[in-house]
Amino acid sequence: MGSSGKRVQPIYICSDAVGETAEAVVKAAMRQFAFEDVKLIRCGHIKSEDEIVHIVGEAAGAGGFIAYTLVQPELRETMREEALLKGVRAIDVLGPMMQAFIDTFNDSPKRQPGLLHTLDDDYYRRIEAIEFAVKYDDGKDTKGLLLAEVVIIGVSRTSKTPLSIYLAHKGIRVANLPLVPEVKVPQELYQGKRLIVGLTMQPKKLSGIRTERLKAMGLPFSAKYASAERIDAELVYAHSIMKSLNCPVIDVTEKAIEETAGIIIGWLQQAN
């Protein structure tokens, strides 16, 4: 039972690989709803029709639905038949996309589960990018400002670090630098050729985020860090640096990390 006493509705994530693709799609859809009493159950590395029969039966008894990515035709067919037989809703996340490729390119799929996580050059590039983002986070080593593909600048709590890590997962080398009026900007920021992006935020929103940060650290809310005067001064300073660099600026006040990252990736693609 959920906290409200209602029955928790399960969503079964089924795959003949890990199941991350289907889970990502389900979670993307869930963000559009105010669900509390939902439980995700991941069933990965499915190899047999018997496993599918068991999962569908369990879903029928629990009153949930199934999202699946099964590349083997016989497993997909079993899932469809069992779901229809037991009255369970089952969404084929990957099948329609594969069929579109077949119809458009007149080719047959490899039908190998788990290819998303094959250890190829892209995989190693992502790992290197993540290590790079960690090493050159928060201006810890200014050499990163010259080695990065993207440099993110902004005042404290404008999501520089999570954005850097998100982009790193896309294989992009990112360094970030906090802009603080009392700290001189390193000369490396004005050297070299790479995309520099400034992040800004509405003062009221930034104050709220900083206040929550102080609360989490057990510090008084009245600290200068979250005061309107301090935030205004930091933003004025940051905007002056961004103007001197003539770099694009993104207001992240109402933007998710994914949305901001999408804008930056678009700029990179245009530059290339």
Side-chain angles (χ1 to χ4, degrees), residues 23-219:
E23 183 170 339
V25 173
V26 169
K27 286 184 175 179
M30 285 178 63
R31 292 191 186 101
Q32 301 298 322
F33 301 89
F35 287 139
E36 293 182 1
D37 297 314
V38 176
K39 180 180 181 181
L40 299 185
I41 302 174
R42 191 193 288 191
C43 306
H45 302 291
I46 295 173
K47 303 299 181 186
S48 70
E49 296 177 11
D50 288 342
E51 291 176 82
I52 292 175
V53 172
H54 174 76
I55 292 167
V56 175
E58 189 174 307
F65 74 83
I66 298 171
Y68 64 94
T69 53
L70 299 167
V71 300
Q72 298 299 334
E74 61 274 14
L75 294 181
R76 290 210 309 275
E77 185 60 29
T78 299
M79 178 66 79
R80 283 193 290 265
E81 291 176 354
E82 285 297 313
L84 184 62
L85 181 65
K86 293 184 171 67
V88 175
R89 185 158 197 173
I91 296 90
D92 186 351
V93 175
L94 195 57
M97 180 65 72
M98 291 178 64
Q99 190 61 51
F101 272 86
I102 293 170
D103 295 342
T104 303
F105 300 106
N106 194 28
D107 198 4
S108 298
K110 297 178 181 178
R111 304 198 188 283
Q112 296 177 23
L115 289 181
L116 179 64
H117 300 285
T118 301
L119 300 184
D120 55 12
D121 290 342
D122 286 342
Y123 173 84
Y124 290 110
R125 187 171 68 250
R126 289 195 298 272
I127 295 299
E128 290 174 1
I130 292 169
E131 292 174 347
F132 185 96
V134 172
K135 182 176 181 179
Y136 297 112
D137 179 46
D138 210 30
K140 286 184 288 192
D141 186 342
T142 57
K143 287 189 299 184
L145 301 177
L146 297 174
L147 300 172
E149 296 173 85
V150 177
V151 174
I152 298 171
I153 60 176
V155 301
S156 174
R157 313 314 294 179
T158 48
S159 302
K160 297 184 299 298
T161 295
L163 178 59
S164 297
I165 297 299
Y166 185 92
L167 289 168
H169 277 277
K170 303 294 183 182
I172 301 168
R173 296 192 312 277
V174 185
N176 72 75
L177 179 73
L179 298 179
V180 183
E182 294 80 10
V183 180
K184 187 177 180 180
V185 173
Q187 284 302 309
E188 288 90 342
L189 190 61
Y190 292 91
Q191 300 168 358
K193 285 188 176 181
R194 70 284 195 226
L195 176 62
I196 300 176
V197 178
L199 302 183
T200 190
M201 184 179 288
Q202 294 301 312
K204 185 176 180 180
K205 176 75 170 182
L206 185 56
S207 177
I209 293 173
R210 289 190 176 186
T211 298
E212 287 300 314
R213 176 63 173 167
L214 291 172
K215 180 180 178 181
M217 297 175 66
L219 298 174

